[in-house]
Amino acid sequence: MTGTTIPRITAITLGVRDVDVAARFYTEGLGFTPVSRVDGEIAFVQAGPGLLLALWNVASMPGEYGDVGFGALAPPMSLGHNVSEVGQVDALYRRALAAGATSISAPTEREWGGVSACVADPDGFRWDFVFNPAFAVDADGRVSGV
């Protein structure tokens, strides 16, 4: 890579069946901050510093992304939410379930020394809620301990 551009992910787009349901799940359920919205088409929520989560009507995606859609299996990706205290895993897990998520795995102590839980959002996208005692983000944004 040349120049001063640093590779960054600034948006993650999820193809959703119902933008209103997805937006409610992420804002009212998980507490993400709404940024912008076109009813029934797309909603943007703040997912972290400089990071948007776009919830786009899956029926509109092929015009820009080509063939996409849902199948019998879960979408082959997961989104992670690392937390700083072990009790936050259970709190996020319960909050997600109350907002309409489906449990994939309850909070469980893992062999690597942390605790994690997994849920599926209303469209089947997996969310991992993780406490990893070694995980750290330095002042410059560098991640370590994974």
Side-chain angles (χ1 to χ4, degrees), residues 12 32-33 35 45-53 127:
I12 297 170
F32 287 76
T33 302
V35 174
V45 297
Q46 186 82 40
L51 179 60
L52 290 173
L53 184 61
W127 274 90

Side-chain angles (χ1 to χ4, degrees), residues 99-128:
T102 302
S103 177
I104 303 300
S105 63
T108 304
E109 290 185 24
R110 303 296 179 181
E111 64 280 354
W112 42 265
V115 173
S116 70
C118 183
V119 300
D121 79 358
D123 286 285
F125 291 102
R126 296 330 197 228
W127 274 90
D128 294 315

Side-chain angles (χ1 to χ4, degrees), residues 1 4-5 7 10 13 17 19 24 26 28 48 51 66 82-83 90 94 102 106 111-112 122 128-129 132 142 146:
M1 189 162 134
T4 58
T5 303
T10 56
T13 301
R17 293 176 181 100
V19 173
R24 264 193 312 280
Y26 284 101
E28 296 173 19
L51 179 60
N82 286 279
V83 298
D90 187 64
R94 293 190 184 289
T102 302
E111 64 280 354
W112 42 265
D128 294 315
F129 304 126
N132 176 347
R142 185 167 300 174
V146 291

Side-chain angles (χ1 to χ4, degrees), residues 63-110:
E64 191 169 326
Y65 291 170
D67 292 336
V68 298
F70 287 95
L73 298 176
M77 69 171 293
S78 70
L79 300 160
H81 184 148
N82 286 279
V83 298
S84 59
E85 297 176 19
V86 69
Q88 292 172 318
V89 171
D90 187 64
L92 283 168
Y93 173 78
R94 293 190 184 289
R95 185 173 181 174
L97 294 180
T102 302
S103 177
I104 303 300
S105 63
T108 304
E109 290 185 24
R110 303 296 179 181

